[in-house]
Amino acid sequence: MALEPTTITTTTTTTTTTNGGFVAADALTDLATDTALPLFNVEQVQLQFPIYDDFVAGQVANNVIILALSSGRILRIDLNRPDEIQDIHLPKKPSESGIIRRMFLDPTASHLLIATSLGENYYLHSQSDTPRPLAKLRGVSIEAVAWSPALPTSSTREILIGAADGNIYEAFVEQSNEFYRKEDKYVKLVWKVGEGGPVTGLWVDSLPGGDRSGEVRRVLVATRGRLMHWVGKVGRRGHEGHQGIYGGLFEGEQPVSFGDGRPGQGGSLVVSPDVVEQGVNPTRFREEEVPERAFAWLSSQGVFHGRLLVDGNTGDLGSRVFNEGRLLAKGQLTNPNGVEAAGGKRQVSTDDVEAVALTQWHVICLVGRRVVVANRLTGDIVYDQIALEQGQRAVGLSVDVQKNTFWLFTPQEILEIVPKEEDRDIWKIMLKFEDFEAALQHARTPAQKDAVAIAHGDHMVGKGQHSEAAGVYGKSSKPFEEVALTFIDNDQPDALRKYLLTKLGTYKRSFVMQRVMIAAWLVEVFMAKLNSLDDTIITGAELSETLSPTQTREQLEAVRAEFQDFVTKHKQDLDRQTVYDIISSHGREEELLYYANVVNDYNYVLSYWVQRERWSEALKVLKRQTDAGVFYRHSSVLMTHAATELVDILMRQSNLDPRNLIPALLEYDRNFKGPLSQNQAVRYLQYVVNQLGSTDAAVHNTLVSIYASHSSTDESQLMAYLASQGDEPNFDQDFALRLCIQNHRVLSCAHIYTSMGQYVQAVDLALSHDKIELASIVADRPMSNPALRKKLWLAVAKKVISQSNGIKAAIEFLKRCNDLLKIEDLIPFFPDFVVIDDFKEEICNALEEYSRSIDALRKEMDESSLTAANIKVDIAALDRRYAIVEPGEKCYVCGLPLLARQFFVFPCQHAFHSDCLGRRVLEQSGAAKGRRIREIQGLIGKGVVKGERRERVVRELDGILCSDYAVRRINEPFVAEGEDLEEWAL
C-alpha cells in the first residue's frame, strides 16, 4: 500500500537587469500577470490500497499521516516511505472502548494521544505499535492538547490537556515497555474554566527572559466564548517527584482575556506553522531570536487572528497581542461572493465556519463544502472553492507545522490543500501599507524590487526625507534626469551627491560613458560642497539653523574624507584632464593633489610644486617615487634649488641610471662656487663610483671633469681618485689628459702619463713646469727598463745642472741615482767654464770605484781557472772508477741473472742486460736514436765490426744507453696501468 505522489510543474520567467539595479517598472507589461494563477489548490490524494472502513479522525505531523478508522484500526503512513504502512489496533474492541473520537499528534510525530467516545484514552509512541491506556486520564474527554515547546521524543515531558468539562490538566507521559509501569507518570489539575464549557484549544511556547529559577512561557487557552492569555515563569522540571511546572503559573498570574464569554460555534485555536524560509525549526532558536507566529481563534463572530508577539515587556504582552489582533467576520468568510438573485436580493449562505487553519500569510477556513482562504493582512478572500461532494462532511482539518502542509480529511478520502507561492503578492500588500522594508524583502523579481524602490523614494521625498530617498532612488529605474531635477529643484545637493554615488554603483563596468559622466558630475558636486563649507567657516556664518561653525568644520572633514574615498574607489571612472580642470576651476589645491596622487600622476604633482617653487613639497613627493623617469625629468631644477636633499633621495634609489642624471649634475656644477667637499654632484658621483661600483665611462669622465675644472689649485682629490683607479681605469685617459693639461693639473697629467707608460712625456711635462721632485719620482718608475730609466734621469740631471748655482748642489742631488749615472755621464752637461776642482773629489771617487771593479773581475777570473782545473781532474778519475757485481745479481728489467750476457752497471748499483737496457732506451728515445741503437746492436751482434772500430761502436752504444734515460723516467708513474692498487696500500 502506498500513496500516489502528485507532481506539479510550474514555469517561472525571470527578468534580469542590465544596469546593475532593478528593471524599469514601465518596461514590464504587467507586474500582476501571474495573479491569474490561484494561490491555493485542493488536490485529492489517491491511496494505492483499499480501505473499507470510514475515516473517523486524521492527523499529520513531520510528514507522517495518522488515520483512525471506524473499526478501531489506526494507520500510520510515513510520506517519505509511503509503501510502508503500520496497521495498529486498539487493545479493546470499539464496542468496549468506543469509537475513536479525537487524536492529538505532537509536531515531531513521536507521540499520539487517542480519545474515544466512551472516555478511554490511549498513548502511542512512534517506536511502538501497541497503544497503552492512560489510566489516570480515564473518563476525561480530551478536547485539546498543548505540547511541550522542547519537542521531546522519548517522552512528552510536561503537556497541558484541555477537557470537555472545562478542566485543564498537566500531564507527563512516556513510553514504557514494562507491564506494571504506567505511561502517564502524573496527571494534575492546574486550572478550571469558570464558564463550564469545554476547552477547545491550547497552546504553549517559550519566551525570552528565562533564568535558572524557571523558564518564561506563554499559555493560550481557548473556549467557545473566550480566549485567555497567560505569561509567567514555570517551575523547574519535577516529574520525578510527580510535581508539575504549570501550577504556579496558573495560580500566580492573571490571564488577559478576549471575547464576551458567550458560547457559540467553533472555538478552536490554531497557530501558524514553522517559518520555512529560516531553514531551521523556530522552537530551537536562541531566546533572543525566537520568531513570531500567528494565531487564529474561531468564534461565533468569525475568526480572530493576530501575531504571537515575543518581544517587549511580558507584563502587557497579552494586551498587546489582543489589541493588535483583527477579526475576519463570519459573513465575510461564509458569503465572500454572494450574488444577486431574482428580485435583487442577495443569496446568503447558511453554512458555518467548521474548521480553521493558518498558513504563513493566510487563514484557511472550511465553510460547509467549501474551502475559503483569506489573506491575514488585508482580509481579502483569495480562494473560494467547493472541495466536498454533495452530502459529504469533513472529519478534520490538520496542519503539519514542520513541513508546512495542509490536509483535509473526509470519511472516505484525503485532500491536500496546496499553497502555490502564497507570498507572491505580499510585497504589494506591504507596499500598500507603506511598509517598504518588508515589501522589498518579499519582492521576488527585479521588477517588483524596482517598483518598491520607486514607491519608497517617492514616499520619502513627499515627507522631505531627500537624503534617504536618494539612496533608494539610486537603486531604482526611475528616470535619471527626473530624480536629479527633483533634488536640484529642492536645493538638496547632499541628496544629489548620495544619489549619484548610489547610481554609479549600479552601472556595470561596460557602461563606460555613463560611469564617466556621473563620476565627473560628482567631482563638481563635491567641489561645490567643499567651497560652500569653506566659505561658511571663513565668514563665521552658520550653515543652517542646526549646525554651528564647529559642526560645520566637522562636516567639512567628513565631506573631504568622502571625496577622497570616492576618487580612490572610482579612479578608473574619472577622466584625468576633466577632473584636473574641474578641481582647478574651484581652486581646491588639496583635492587636486590628492587626486593626482591617487592616480599616480606624480609628474603632475611635482610640476605643480615646482611651478610654485615649493621645493620641500616636491621632494616629499619625490621620496615616494620609484619611476626613474620622474627623477630624470625633474632632477635639473631640483638639483639647482635643493641639491643636498635631492642627492639624499637619489642615493636611496637603486633603479636609477646615473648616466641620465649627468646633465643635471653638470648644470649644477657650472653654477656651484663652493669647495669640492661641499659639491653635491661630486658627492653623488663618488657614491655611484665607490658604493655602487659603477664602471660607466661617462660617470667617471664626469667626475674627472668636475675635479679638473674646479677653480681650486688643490689636486689632492683628483689625485686620490686617479690613484684609486689603478692600472685599468674606467675613465677615458685621453679625455682626462686633455682636461688636466687645459686646467694646468701638472700632478694629474704626470700621473696619467705614467699610467699610460709615457714616462718621457711625464718627465718632460714636470721639468717644463720646474717640478724637479715630480720628474725624479717619475724617472724612477720604469724599473724593468734600465736604459729608459737612465735616459729619464739624464733629462732630470740636465735640468738640475742647468738650474744649479753651484756644481756641488747638483752633484748632491744626483747621488739619488748613482746606480745609473756616473760622473762621466754628467760631464757633457757641465758649463764650459767649470773648473775641475769643483768636482775633483767625485772624479777621484769614480776612479777608485773603477779600480775596485777591476780587482773584483781579476779575482773572479782566478777562481774560474781553479774550477776548470778541478773539473779536468774529476774527468780523468772517471776512467778508473769501478763497481762490484755480486754473484746471482739479476737484471732490473727481465729479472734473469746478470752475468748470463753483456750488461751495464751504473754508479747507483742498478744493473741491466745490454739488450734489456737497449729496449728500455728505445721506448724512451725518438725515432732517429732508436734506429741508431738497433743498427749498432746489429753490427756488434753479427761481428761485422772488429778491432778499434768495434771499440768505437761499443763506446758510442754505451754513450747512448748511459745518457738521460733515468731522467726521462722521472715522469713514469710508480703504479703502471693495469696493476693492482691494493698492493701499494700501507
Side-chain angles (χ1 to χ4, degrees), residues 478-494:
K478 189 165 186 174
F480 178 84
E481 60 277 8
E482 182 179 343
V483 177
L485 288 174
T486 298
F487 293 137
I488 293 173
D489 293 341
N490 288 278
D491 191 22
Q492 295 292 329
D494 293 338

mmCIF file with all atom_site columns, all heavy atoms in Angstrom, residues 478-494:
data_model
loop_
_atom_site.group_PDB
_atom_site.id
_atom_site.type_symbol
_atom_site.label_atom_id
_atom_site.label_alt_id
_atom_site.label_comp_id
_atom_site.label_asym_id
_atom_site.label_entity_id
_atom_site.label_seq_id
_atom_site.pdbx_PDB_ins_code
_atom_site.Cartn_x
_atom_site.Cartn_y
_atom_site.Cartn_z
_atom_site.occupancy
_atom_site.B_iso_or_equiv
_atom_site.pdbx_formal_charge
_atom_site.auth_seq_id
_atom_site.auth_comp_id
_atom_site.auth_asym_id
_atom_site.auth_atom_id
_atom_site.pdbx_PDB_model_num
ATOM 1   N N   . LYS A 1 478 ? 13.878 54.675 -11.856 1.00 0.00 ? 478 LYS A N   1
ATOM 2   C CA  . LYS A 1 478 ? 13.220 55.954 -12.098 1.00 0.00 ? 478 LYS A CA  1
ATOM 3   C C   . LYS A 1 478 ? 14.141 56.819 -12.944 1.00 0.00 ? 478 LYS A C   1
ATOM 4   O O   . LYS A 1 478 ? 15.354 56.863 -12.715 1.00 0.00 ? 478 LYS A O   1
ATOM 5   C CB  . LYS A 1 478 ? 12.900 56.641 -10.778 1.00 0.00 ? 478 LYS A CB  1
ATOM 6   C CG  . LYS A 1 478 ? 12.021 57.877 -10.958 1.00 0.00 ? 478 LYS A CG  1
ATOM 7   C CD  . LYS A 1 478 ? 11.401 58.340 -9.660  1.00 0.00 ? 478 LYS A CD  1
ATOM 8   C CE  . LYS A 1 478 ? 10.426 59.491 -9.921  1.00 0.00 ? 478 LYS A CE  1
ATOM 9   N NZ  . LYS A 1 478 ? 9.696  59.895 -8.719  1.00 0.00 ? 478 LYS A NZ  1
ATOM 10  N N   . PRO A 1 479 ? 13.599 57.514 -13.950 1.00 0.00 ? 479 PRO A N   1
ATOM 11  C CA  . PRO A 1 479 ? 14.454 58.276 -14.885 1.00 0.00 ? 479 PRO A CA  1
ATOM 12  C C   . PRO A 1 479 ? 15.472 59.134 -14.165 1.00 0.00 ? 479 PRO A C   1
ATOM 13  O O   . PRO A 1 479 ? 15.153 59.863 -13.218 1.00 0.00 ? 479 PRO A O   1
ATOM 14  C CB  . PRO A 1 479 ? 13.439 59.110 -15.683 1.00 0.00 ? 479 PRO A CB  1
ATOM 15  C CG  . PRO A 1 479 ? 12.187 58.289 -15.657 1.00 0.00 ? 479 PRO A CG  1
ATOM 16  C CD  . PRO A 1 479 ? 12.168 57.623 -14.306 1.00 0.00 ? 479 PRO A CD  1
ATOM 17  N N   . PHE A 1 480 ? 16.699 59.027 -14.643 1.00 0.00 ? 480 PHE A N   1
ATOM 18  C CA  . PHE A 1 480 ? 17.826 59.701 -14.001 1.00 0.00 ? 480 PHE A CA  1
ATOM 19  C C   . PHE A 1 480 ? 17.604 61.206 -13.937 1.00 0.00 ? 480 PHE A C   1
ATOM 20  O O   . PHE A 1 480 ? 17.796 61.841 -12.889 1.00 0.00 ? 480 PHE A O   1
ATOM 21  C CB  . PHE A 1 480 ? 19.105 59.377 -14.788 1.00 0.00 ? 480 PHE A CB  1
ATOM 22  C CG  . PHE A 1 480 ? 20.343 60.035 -14.268 1.00 0.00 ? 480 PHE A CG  1
ATOM 23  C CD1 . PHE A 1 480 ? 21.062 59.481 -13.226 1.00 0.00 ? 480 PHE A CD1 1
ATOM 24  C CD2 . PHE A 1 480 ? 20.791 61.235 -14.804 1.00 0.00 ? 480 PHE A CD2 1
ATOM 25  C CE1 . PHE A 1 480 ? 22.207 60.086 -12.743 1.00 0.00 ? 480 PHE A CE1 1
ATOM 26  C CE2 . PHE A 1 480 ? 21.935 61.840 -14.326 1.00 0.00 ? 480 PHE A CE2 1
ATOM 27  C CZ  . PHE A 1 480 ? 22.637 61.269 -13.291 1.00 0.00 ? 480 PHE A CZ  1
ATOM 28  N N   . GLU A 1 481 ? 17.187 61.785 -15.065 1.00 0.00 ? 481 GLU A N   1
ATOM 29  C CA  . GLU A 1 481 ? 17.044 63.235 -15.100 1.00 0.00 ? 481 GLU A CA  1
ATOM 30  C C   . GLU A 1 481 ? 15.910 63.708 -14.196 1.00 0.00 ? 481 GLU A C   1
ATOM 31  O O   . GLU A 1 481 ? 15.982 64.782 -13.586 1.00 0.00 ? 481 GLU A O   1
ATOM 32  C CB  . GLU A 1 481 ? 16.812 63.714 -16.535 1.00 0.00 ? 481 GLU A CB  1
ATOM 33  C CG  . GLU A 1 481 ? 15.556 63.154 -17.207 1.00 0.00 ? 481 GLU A CG  1
ATOM 34  C CD  . GLU A 1 481 ? 15.754 61.777 -17.800 1.00 0.00 ? 481 GLU A CD  1
ATOM 35  O OE1 . GLU A 1 481 ? 16.821 61.169 -17.561 1.00 0.00 ? 481 GLU A OE1 1
ATOM 36  O OE2 . GLU A 1 481 ? 14.837 61.303 -18.487 1.00 0.00 ? 481 GLU A OE2 1
ATOM 37  N N   . GLU A 1 482 ? 14.875 62.884 -14.049 1.00 0.00 ? 482 GLU A N   1
ATOM 38  C CA  . GLU A 1 482 ? 13.749 63.261 -13.190 1.00 0.00 ? 482 GLU A CA  1
ATOM 39  C C   . GLU A 1 482 ? 14.178 63.314 -11.734 1.00 0.00 ? 482 GLU A C   1
ATOM 40  O O   . GLU A 1 482 ? 13.847 64.259 -11.007 1.00 0.00 ? 482 GLU A O   1
ATOM 41  C CB  . GLU A 1 482 ? 12.608 62.268 -13.384 1.00 0.00 ? 482 GLU A CB  1
ATOM 42  C CG  . GLU A 1 482 ? 11.368 62.603 -12.568 1.00 0.00 ? 482 GLU A CG  1
ATOM 43  C CD  . GLU A 1 482 ? 10.246 61.601 -12.801 1.00 0.00 ? 482 GLU A CD  1
ATOM 44  O OE1 . GLU A 1 482 ? 10.309 60.855 -13.808 1.00 0.00 ? 482 GLU A OE1 1
ATOM 45  O OE2 . GLU A 1 482 ? 9.314  61.571 -11.979 1.00 0.00 ? 482 GLU A OE2 1
ATOM 46  N N   . VAL A 1 483 ? 14.935 62.313 -11.309 1.00 0.00 ? 483 VAL A N   1
ATOM 47  C CA  . VAL A 1 483 ? 15.402 62.297 -9.921  1.00 0.00 ? 483 VAL A CA  1
ATOM 48  C C   . VAL A 1 483 ? 16.373 63.445 -9.677  1.00 0.00 ? 483 VAL A C   1
ATOM 49  O O   . VAL A 1 483 ? 16.294 64.154 -8.654  1.00 0.00 ? 483 VAL A O   1
ATOM 50  C CB  . VAL A 1 483 ? 16.067 60.944 -9.607  1.00 0.00 ? 483 VAL A CB  1
ATOM 51  C CG1 . VAL A 1 483 ? 16.621 60.948 -8.182  1.00 0.00 ? 483 VAL A CG1 1
ATOM 52  C CG2 . VAL A 1 483 ? 15.081 59.806 -9.772  1.00 0.00 ? 483 VAL A CG2 1
ATOM 53  N N   . ALA A 1 484 ? 17.311 63.633 -10.611 1.00 0.00 ? 484 ALA A N   1
ATOM 54  C CA  . ALA A 1 484 ? 18.305 64.697 -10.433 1.00 0.00 ? 484 ALA A CA  1
ATOM 55  C C   . ALA A 1 484 ? 17.629 66.058 -10.354 1.00 0.00 ? 484 ALA A C   1
ATOM 56  O O   . ALA A 1 484 ? 17.971 66.897 -9.498  1.00 0.00 ? 484 ALA A O   1
ATOM 57  C CB  . ALA A 1 484 ? 19.317 64.643 -11.579 1.00 0.00 ? 484 ALA A CB  1
ATOM 58  N N   . LEU A 1 485 ? 16.660 66.326 -11.230 1.00 0.00 ? 485 LEU A N   1
ATOM 59  C CA  . LEU A 1 485 ? 15.965 67.613 -11.201 1.00 0.00 ? 485 LEU A CA  1
ATOM 60  C C   . LEU A 1 485 ? 15.157 67.779 -9.920  1.00 0.00 ? 485 LEU A C   1
ATOM 61  O O   . LEU A 1 485 ? 15.012 68.900 -9.408  1.00 0.00 ? 485 LEU A O   1
ATOM 62  C CB  . LEU A 1 485 ? 15.050 67.721 -12.422 1.00 0.00 ? 485 LEU A CB  1
ATOM 63  C CG  . LEU A 1 485 ? 15.768 67.938 -13.769 1.00 0.00 ? 485 LEU A CG  1
ATOM 64  C CD1 . LEU A 1 485 ? 14.776 67.884 -14.912 1.00 0.00 ? 485 LEU A CD1 1
ATOM 65  C CD2 . LEU A 1 485 ? 16.511 69.274 -13.764 1.00 0.00 ? 485 LEU A CD2 1
ATOM 66  N N   . THR A 1 486 ? 14.642 66.677 -9.400  1.00 0.00 ? 486 THR A N   1
ATOM 67  C CA  . THR A 1 486 ? 13.899 66.759 -8.137  1.00 0.00 ? 486 THR A CA  1
ATOM 68  C C   . THR A 1 486 ? 14.790 67.283 -7.019  1.00 0.00 ? 486 THR A C   1
ATOM 69  O O   . THR A 1 486 ? 14.398 68.189 -6.254  1.00 0.00 ? 486 THR A O   1
ATOM 70  C CB  . THR A 1 486 ? 13.345 65.376 -7.761  1.00 0.00 ? 486 THR A CB  1
ATOM 71  O OG1 . THR A 1 486 ? 12.446 64.947 -8.772  1.00 0.00 ? 486 THR A OG1 1
ATOM 72  C CG2 . THR A 1 486 ? 12.622 65.425 -6.421  1.00 0.00 ? 486 THR A CG2 1
ATOM 73  N N   . PHE A 1 487 ? 15.989 66.754 -6.926  1.00 0.00 ? 487 PHE A N   1
ATOM 74  C CA  . PHE A 1 487 ? 16.907 67.204 -5.872  1.00 0.00 ? 487 PHE A CA  1
ATOM 75  C C   . PHE A 1 487 ? 17.430 68.615 -6.151  1.00 0.00 ? 487 PHE A C   1
ATOM 76  O O   . PHE A 1 487 ? 17.616 69.412 -5.228  1.00 0.00 ? 487 PHE A O   1
ATOM 77  C CB  . PHE A 1 487 ? 18.070 66.225 -5.751  1.00 0.00 ? 487 PHE A CB  1
ATOM 78  C CG  . PHE A 1 487 ? 17.670 64.874 -5.239  1.00 0.00 ? 487 PHE A CG  1
ATOM 79  C CD1 . PHE A 1 487 ? 18.177 63.716 -5.810  1.00 0.00 ? 487 PHE A CD1 1
ATOM 80  C CD2 . PHE A 1 487 ? 16.776 64.741 -4.206  1.00 0.00 ? 487 PHE A CD2 1
ATOM 81  C CE1 . PHE A 1 487 ? 17.816 62.464 -5.350  1.00 0.00 ? 487 PHE A CE1 1
ATOM 82  C CE2 . PHE A 1 487 ? 16.398 63.499 -3.727  1.00 0.00 ? 487 PHE A CE2 1
ATOM 83  C CZ  . PHE A 1 487 ? 16.912 62.357 -4.309  1.00 0.00 ? 487 PHE A CZ  1
ATOM 84  N N   . ILE A 1 488 ? 17.657 68.927 -7.415  1.00 0.00 ? 488 ILE A N   1
ATOM 85  C CA  . ILE A 1 488 ? 18.149 70.272 -7.743  1.00 0.00 ? 488 ILE A CA  1
ATOM 86  C C   . ILE A 1 488 ? 17.075 71.311 -7.463  1.00 0.00 ? 488 ILE A C   1
ATOM 87  O O   . ILE A 1 488 ? 17.347 72.379 -6.887  1.00 0.00 ? 488 ILE A O   1
ATOM 88  C CB  . ILE A 1 488 ? 18.602 70.309 -9.211  1.00 0.00 ? 488 ILE A CB  1
ATOM 89  C CG1 . ILE A 1 488 ? 19.841 69.416 -9.403  1.00 0.00 ? 488 ILE A CG1 1
ATOM 90  C CG2 . ILE A 1 488 ? 18.928 71.732 -9.639  1.00 0.00 ? 488 ILE A CG2 1
ATOM 91  C CD1 . ILE A 1 488 ? 20.268 69.265 -10.851 1.00 0.00 ? 488 ILE A CD1 1
ATOM 92  N N   . ASP A 1 489 ? 15.838 71.024 -7.865  1.00 0.00 ? 489 ASP A N   1
ATOM 93  C CA  . ASP A 1 489 ? 14.752 71.992 -7.650  1.00 0.00 ? 489 ASP A CA  1
ATOM 94  C C   . ASP A 1 489 ? 14.487 72.202 -6.166  1.00 0.00 ? 489 ASP A C   1
ATOM 95  O O   . ASP A 1 489 ? 14.053 73.299 -5.763  1.00 0.00 ? 489 ASP A O   1
ATOM 96  C CB  . ASP A 1 489 ? 13.481 71.494 -8.340  1.00 0.00 ? 489 ASP A CB  1
ATOM 97  C CG  . ASP A 1 489 ? 13.615 71.486 -9.865  1.00 0.00 ? 489 ASP A CG  1
ATOM 98  O OD1 . ASP A 1 489 ? 14.522 72.182 -10.371 1.00 0.00 ? 489 ASP A OD1 1
ATOM 99  O OD2 . ASP A 1 489 ? 12.835 70.773 -10.534 1.00 0.00 ? 489 ASP A OD2 1
ATOM 100 N N   . ASN A 1 490 ? 14.728 71.173 -5.370  1.00 0.00 ? 490 ASN A N   1
ATOM 101 C CA  . ASN A 1 490 ? 14.505 71.307 -3.927  1.00 0.00 ? 490 ASN A CA  1
ATOM 102 C C   . ASN A 1 490 ? 15.758 71.743 -3.184  1.00 0.00 ? 490 ASN A C   1
ATOM 103 O O   . ASN A 1 490 ? 15.769 71.735 -1.948  1.00 0.00 ? 490 ASN A O   1
ATOM 104 C CB  . ASN A 1 490 ? 14.010 69.974 -3.359  1.00 0.00 ? 490 ASN A CB  1
ATOM 105 C CG  . ASN A 1 490 ? 12.582 69.657 -3.755  1.00 0.00 ? 490 ASN A CG  1
ATOM 106 O OD1 . ASN A 1 490 ? 11.625 70.131 -3.146  1.00 0.00 ? 490 ASN A OD1 1
ATOM 107 N ND2 . ASN A 1 490 ? 12.421 68.868 -4.809  1.00 0.00 ? 490 ASN A ND2 1
ATOM 108 N N   . ASP A 1 491 ? 16.798 72.121 -3.943  1.00 0.00 ? 491 ASP A N   1
ATOM 109 C CA  . ASP A 1 491 ? 18.056 72.602 -3.347  1.00 0.00 ? 491 ASP A CA  1
ATOM 110 C C   . ASP A 1 491 ? 18.598 71.588 -2.333  1.00 0.00 ? 491 ASP A C   1
ATOM 111 O O   . ASP A 1 491 ? 18.840 71.888 -1.164  1.00 0.00 ? 491 ASP A O   1
ATOM 112 C CB  . ASP A 1 491 ? 17.848 73.960 -2.668  1.00 0.00 ? 491 ASP A CB  1
ATOM 113 C CG  . ASP A 1 491 ? 19.188 74.605 -2.291  1.00 0.00 ? 491 ASP A CG  1
ATOM 114 O OD1 . ASP A 1 491 ? 20.215 74.222 -2.910  1.00 0.00 ? 491 ASP A OD1 1
ATOM 115 O OD2 . ASP A 1 491 ? 19.209 75.468 -1.399  1.00 0.00 ? 491 ASP A OD2 1
ATOM 116 N N   . GLN A 1 492 ? 18.819 70.372 -2.828  1.00 0.00 ? 492 GLN A N   1
ATOM 117 C CA  . GLN A 1 492 ? 19.313 69.284 -1.974  1.00 0.00 ? 492 GLN A CA  1
ATOM 118 C C   . GLN A 1 492 ? 20.610 68.711 -2.581  1.00 0.00 ? 492 GLN A C   1
ATOM 119 O O   . GLN A 1 492 ? 20.624 67.626 -3.155  1.00 0.00 ? 492 GLN A O   1
ATOM 120 C CB  . GLN A 1 492 ? 18.255 68.188 -1.852  1.00 0.00 ? 492 GLN A CB  1
ATOM 121 C CG  . GLN A 1 492 ? 16.988 68.594 -1.141  1.00 0.00 ? 492 GLN A CG  1
ATOM 122 C CD  . GLN A 1 492 ? 17.230 68.869 0.333   1.00 0.00 ? 492 GLN A CD  1
ATOM 123 O OE1 . GLN A 1 492 ? 18.113 68.270 0.953   1.00 0.00 ? 492 GLN A OE1 1
ATOM 124 N NE2 . GLN A 1 492 ? 16.466 69.793 0.895   1.00 0.00 ? 492 GLN A NE2 1
ATOM 125 N N   . PRO A 1 493 ? 21.693 69.469 -2.485  1.00 0.00 ? 493 PRO A N   1
ATOM 126 C CA  . PRO A 1 493 ? 22.952 68.973 -3.075  1.00 0.00 ? 493 PRO A CA  1
ATOM 127 C C   . PRO A 1 493 ? 23.474 67.713 -2.396  1.00 0.00 ? 493 PRO A C   1
ATOM 128 O O   . PRO A 1 493 ? 24.075 66.858 -3.042  1.00 0.00 ? 493 PRO A O   1
ATOM 129 C CB  . PRO A 1 493 ? 23.924 70.150 -2.907  1.00 0.00 ? 493 PRO A CB  1
ATOM 130 C CG  . PRO A 1 493 ? 23.358 70.935 -1.752  1.00 0.00 ? 493 PRO A CG  1
ATOM 131 C CD  . PRO A 1 493 ? 21.870 70.790 -1.849  1.00 0.00 ? 493 PRO A CD  1
ATOM 132 N N   . ASP A 1 494 ? 23.241 67.595 -1.097  1.00 0.00 ? 494 ASP A N   1
ATOM 133 C CA  . ASP A 1 494 ? 23.706 66.392 -0.405  1.00 0.00 ? 494 ASP A CA  1
ATOM 134 C C   . ASP A 1 494 ? 22.948 65.164 -0.885  1.00 0.00 ? 494 ASP A C   1
ATOM 135 O O   . ASP A 1 494 ? 23.540 64.087 -1.095  1.00 0.00 ? 494 ASP A O   1
ATOM 136 C CB  . ASP A 1 494 ? 23.521 66.545 1.107   1.00 0.00 ? 494 ASP A CB  1
ATOM 137 C CG  . ASP A 1 494 ? 24.424 67.619 1.682   1.00 0.00 ? 494 ASP A CG  1
ATOM 138 O OD1 . ASP A 1 494 ? 25.440 67.936 1.028   1.00 0.00 ? 494 ASP A OD1 1
ATOM 139 O OD2 . ASP A 1 494 ? 24.124 68.127 2.772   1.00 0.00 ? 494 ASP A OD2 1
#
